[in-house]
C-alpha cells in the first residue's frame, strides 16, 4: 500500500477542477491512500470522498513563509510516510514542500505549465486557437507520471439539498461575479438579465455571490424584483452545492461557480470574455455549446482575465442582455 500526496492550494476554481481527478484516481487504486493538501475553506467542497481519499485542510495564514511551510511539513506531512507527491499546483509554496520530500528520496511530479502553448493562444496576432488540454487532464497527467494513470470514474457529487429547496422547482442560478474583474459582465446589464429571467412564468432566480460588496448588490436586486432570492452569505459551501444541484441551469462567468455547479451535474451557461475555453479551464462535463462567447481576433487576451483590455473597449463583453437570456432559456 502506497501513500500519495496531492498539493493544490488555490484558486477555488482550480481546486474544484482537481476534484474529479482525485475522486477517480482514488477509486482506480483502492489499495492505496491518497491525500489532498489544500486550503481549509476550499476543502469543504470535497463531499463524500472515496474512503481512501483523505483531505488535509490547512489555514495558510498560520504557515506563512519558508519557516511556516517547514512547520507545516513537520506537523502535518512528515508522519504520513508519503511515497509520492503529485504537485498539481507547481508554485513556490508547493516547491518548498516538494523539496522536503525530495530530500527523503520521495518521487515528486509537477503539473506542466505549458507556457509556450499558452503563448500562441494569448499573442495579439496570428493566434492559434487549437484547444490545450483541459486542466483536469493536466492534473491527471501528474498522477500518470507517478505510475497511477487515471480512468475517469466521476459523474457528480452526492450532495444533500437543504430544506426549502427542491429539484421540482424551476430554479435558475445567476453567479455574476469573478475574482478577476475583467471577466465580470457589466452589472447593470446583469441586473437586466435577472429582471428578464424573473419574468419567465414559473421561474425563480437564485443569486450566488461571496463578500460583503457582492452581497449588497445581490440583496438589492432581490428586493427590487419578484421571484428573485439572494443566497449570498446565508449558506455553507456544501449547502450551496446542494442548492446548485436543484438548478435547471446556472448562468455564470468563467469563474469558480461555473466549476462548482458542474461538479453537481448542473448545466452551466458560462460567459467567456477576455478568457477562452481553449486555454484549458473548461468545466467538467459541460458541452462546447454551453459557452457564451464572441468570435473576436483579440480573444483570448488573458489566461485568467486579470489583464486590462489592451483595446480599451472590452468588446468581448458586449452582449445584449436579451441575447444572454435567450441562451439561458434554451436550457429550460
Amino acid at each position: 500500500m502506497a501513500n500519495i500526496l496531492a498539493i493544490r492550494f488555490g484558486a477555488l476554481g482550480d481546486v474544484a477542477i482537481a476534484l474529479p481527478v482525485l475522486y477517480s484516481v482514488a477509486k482506480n487504486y483502492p489499495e492505496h491512500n491518497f491525500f489532498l493538501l489544500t486550503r481549509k475553506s476550499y476543502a469543504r467542497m470535497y463531499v463524500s470522498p472515496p474512503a481512501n481519499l483523505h483531505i488535509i485542510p490547512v489555514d495558510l495564514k498560520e504557515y506563512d513563509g519558508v519557516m511556516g511551510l517547514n512547520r507545516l511539513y513537520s506537523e502535518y506531512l512528515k508522519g504520513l510516510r508519503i511515497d509520492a507527491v503529485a504537485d498539481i499546483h507547481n508554485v513556490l509554496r508547493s516547491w518548498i514542500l516538494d523539496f522536503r520530500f525530495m530530500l527523503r528520496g520521495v518521487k515528486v511530479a509537477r503539473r506542466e505549465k505549458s507556457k509556450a502553448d499558452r503563448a500562441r493562444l494569448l499573442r495579439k496576432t496570428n493566434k492559434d486557437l487549437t484547444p490545450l488540454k483541459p486542466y483536469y487532464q493536466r492534473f491527471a497527467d501528474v498522477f500518470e507520471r507517478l505510475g497511477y494513470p487515471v480512468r475517469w470514474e466521476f459523474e457528480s457529487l452526492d450532495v444533500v439539498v437543504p430544506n426549502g429547496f427542491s429539484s421540482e422547482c424551476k430554479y435558475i442560478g445567476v453567479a455574476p461575479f469573478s475574482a478577476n474583474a475583467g471577466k465580470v459582465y457589466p452589472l447593470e446589464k446583469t441586473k437586466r438579465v435577472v429582471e428578464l429571467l424573473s419574468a419567465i412564468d414559473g421561474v425563480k432566480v437564485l443569486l450566488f455571490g461571496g463578500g460583503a460588496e457582492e452581497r449588497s448588490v445581490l440583496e438589492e436586486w432581490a428586493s427590487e424584483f419578484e421571484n428573485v432570492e439572494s443566497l449570498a452569505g446565508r449558506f455553507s459551501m456544501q449547502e450551496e452545492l446542494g442548492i446548485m444541484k436543484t438548478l435547471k441551469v446556472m448562468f455564470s462567468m468563467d469563474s469558480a461557480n461555473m466549476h462548482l455547479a458542474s461538479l453537481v451535474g448542473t448545466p452551466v451557461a458560462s460567459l467567456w470574455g477576455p478568457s477562452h475555453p481553449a486555454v484549458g479551464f473548461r468545466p467538467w462535463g459541460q458541452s462546447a455549446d454551453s459557452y457564451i462567447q464572441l468570435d473576436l481576433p483579440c480573444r483570448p487576451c488573458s489566461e485568467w482575465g486579470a489583464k486590462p483590455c489592451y483595446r480599451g473597449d472590452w468588446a468581448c463583453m458586449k452582449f445584449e442582455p436579451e441575447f444572454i437570456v435567450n441562451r439561458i432559456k434554451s436550457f429550460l
Side-chain angles (χ1 to χ4, degrees), residues 3-294:
N3 296 322
I4 300 96
L5 174 71
I7 302 173
R8 182 75 218 197
F9 294 118
L12 176 57
D14 297 331
V15 179
I17 290 171
L19 189 148
V21 182
L22 288 158
Y23 279 46
S24 293
V25 75
K27 290 180 180 179
N28 294 163
Y29 304 96
E31 70 277 18
H32 300 312
N33 284 316
F34 293 85
F35 299 85
L36 171 64
L37 179 67
T38 191
R39 292 179 185 269
K40 183 183 296 185
S41 57
Y42 298 166
R44 297 168 188 148
M45 80 177 78
Y46 279 67
V47 179
S48 302
N52 61 328
L53 175 58
H54 313 281
I55 311 302
I56 306 174
V58 296
D59 184 350
L60 289 177
K61 293 180 181 178
E62 298 179 9
Y63 300 97
D64 192 32
V66 175
M67 296 296 292
L69 290 168
N70 282 323
R71 186 161 51 86
L72 172 61
Y73 171 82
S74 299
E75 293 180 3
Y76 277 90
L77 306 175
K78 187 176 180 180
L80 294 178
R81 300 187 182 277
I82 296 298
D83 299 292
V85 174
D87 183 354
I88 57 176
H89 202 164
N90 193 1
V91 294
L92 180 59
R93 181 180 280 131
S94 61
W95 296 347
I96 294 169
L97 295 174
D98 294 347
F99 181 68
R100 293 299 303 267
F101 285 107
M102 292 166 69
L103 285 176
R104 290 173 41 200
V106 173
K107 184 176 182 179
V108 174
R110 292 173 175 153
R111 171 180 66 91
E112 294 181 351
K113 293 195 172 182
S114 307
K115 290 184 178 181
D117 290 332
R118 294 205 311 269
R120 63 176 172 79
L121 281 160
L122 300 176
R123 62 196 180 200
K124 291 185 179 180
T125 58
N126 300 317
K127 289 182 181 292
D128 179 357
L129 292 181
T130 303
L132 304 184
K133 281 185 182 179
Y135 266 75
Y136 51 79
Q137 184 60 58
R138 297 187 207 181
F139 295 167
D141 290 346
V142 179
F143 286 97
E144 182 167 5
R145 292 200 298 277
L146 292 173
Y148 304 97
V150 178
R151 302 180 306 278
W152 300 114
E153 292 192 40
F154 178 83
E155 292 184 4
S156 66
L157 281 174
D158 183 15
V159 291
V160 176
V161 177
N163 291 333
F165 296 87
S166 170
S167 57
E168 300 301 315
C169 297
K170 195 185 290 186
Y171 295 132
I172 296 177
V174 175
F177 299 104
S178 169
N180 295 306
K183 294 195 291 188
V184 176
Y185 184 55
L187 290 182
E188 66 275 10
K189 291 188 175 183
T190 307
K191 181 179 179 180
R192 176 61 176 161
V193 169
V194 170
E195 179 183 12
L196 292 171
L197 291 175
S198 69
I200 300 174
D201 186 43
V203 160
K204 184 168 186 178
V205 180
L206 304 180
L207 306 176
F208 293 81
E213 186 175 342
E214 295 179 7
R215 189 182 312 176
S216 176
V217 170
L218 299 183
E219 288 175 352
E220 178 187 331
W221 294 354
S223 66
E224 189 168 341
F225 305 121
E226 293 186 2
N227 305 315
V228 178
E229 181 178 353
S230 172
L231 308 183
R234 294 171 50 199
F235 298 93
S236 68
M237 179 178 288
Q238 291 189 1
E239 289 172 328
E240 282 203 356
L241 287 168
I243 296 170
M244 287 182 185
K245 183 78 171 181
T246 69
L247 302 177
K248 301 306 180 187
V249 57
M250 168 72 89
F251 170 56
S252 172
M253 308 300 104
D254 163 27
S255 65
N257 279 302
M258 170 183 72
H259 296 292
L260 294 175
S262 297
L263 291 181
V264 295
T266 293
V268 180
S270 54
L271 189 150
W272 301 73
S275 57
H276 196 288
V279 176
F281 290 106
R282 302 186 287 282
W284 177 264
Q286 303 292 336
S287 62
D289 59 5
S290 68
Y291 308 144
I292 302 173
Q293 55 184 334
L294 296 174

